[in-house]
Amino acid sequence: MQARVARQQARGLCTTLARRSSADTPRTNELDIVMLAPKLRRAVFKQAGAGATREQIRISIEHLKAQGIYGKQGEPVAISDFEPPALLGDSIEEHFRNLGELAAHPYLRMAEEFARADDSSFPQMPEAAQWRMQSGWTRYADGGASRVRVPA
């Protein structure tokens, strides 16, 4: 009986995936899940999708049932249809990859410069016999080792 009801619901979902919303109510799909506001949806999904397949809908229903939230009414969501900033790329995935690269670029540049540095500019590594096995900080310089309070 439940399987038959789920199949009927899935058929209905395939025919109308998203109900239109009025100005005061958010747009929801047939599972009553609130969808993105129109301007935000257009910015995030530049190309209209083909819609969900029956199999995808069936899997969604199973997942919602497994979580104990299928058919339950969610909390009201305020409509927030605003003009989002332009994406930095052709997709939301590209946008966040580009943001990450922009944030990491200065550190990547410093790491690349360090990797290209001439070995003669680095302090000489102490010989194994010179290593001090003690807690705290140790400074190795000029062929010797000395305890320091903090690195400088």
Side-chain angles (χ1 to χ4, degrees), residues 18-83:
R19 293 187 295 234
R20 297 288 170 229
S21 62
S22 72
D24 297 331
T25 58
R27 180 175 166 265
T28 60
N29 66 11
E30 291 293 329
L31 294 173
D32 216 22
I33 296 172
V34 176
M35 308 297 279
L36 291 176
K39 289 178 187 173
L40 189 55
R41 181 173 36 94
R42 281 192 299 276
V44 172
F45 305 107
K46 294 188 183 221
Q47 297 176 348
T53 65
R54 285 185 180 173
E55 179 64 11
Q56 290 168 328
I57 293 167
R58 183 190 63 73
I59 291 168
S60 297
I61 291 170
E62 285 179 12
H63 178 74
L64 292 170
K65 283 180 179 179
Q67 301 302 314
I69 57 176
Y70 180 68
K72 291 190 177 175
Q73 184 66 37
E75 292 187 28
V77 177
I79 299 170
S80 182
D81 199 16
F82 62 94
E83 196 66 49

Side-chain angles (χ1 to χ4, degrees), residues 17 29 78 92 106 111 135:
L17 278 176
N29 66 11
I92 194 77
S135 64

Side-chain angles (χ1 to χ4, degrees), residues 103-124:
H105 182 74
Y107 303 100
L108 176 61
R109 190 180 68 246
M110 286 187 281
E112 288 170 342
E113 286 174 15
F114 182 75
R116 284 191 302 270
D118 182 15
D119 286 350
S120 65
S121 64
F122 297 129
Q124 191 165 7

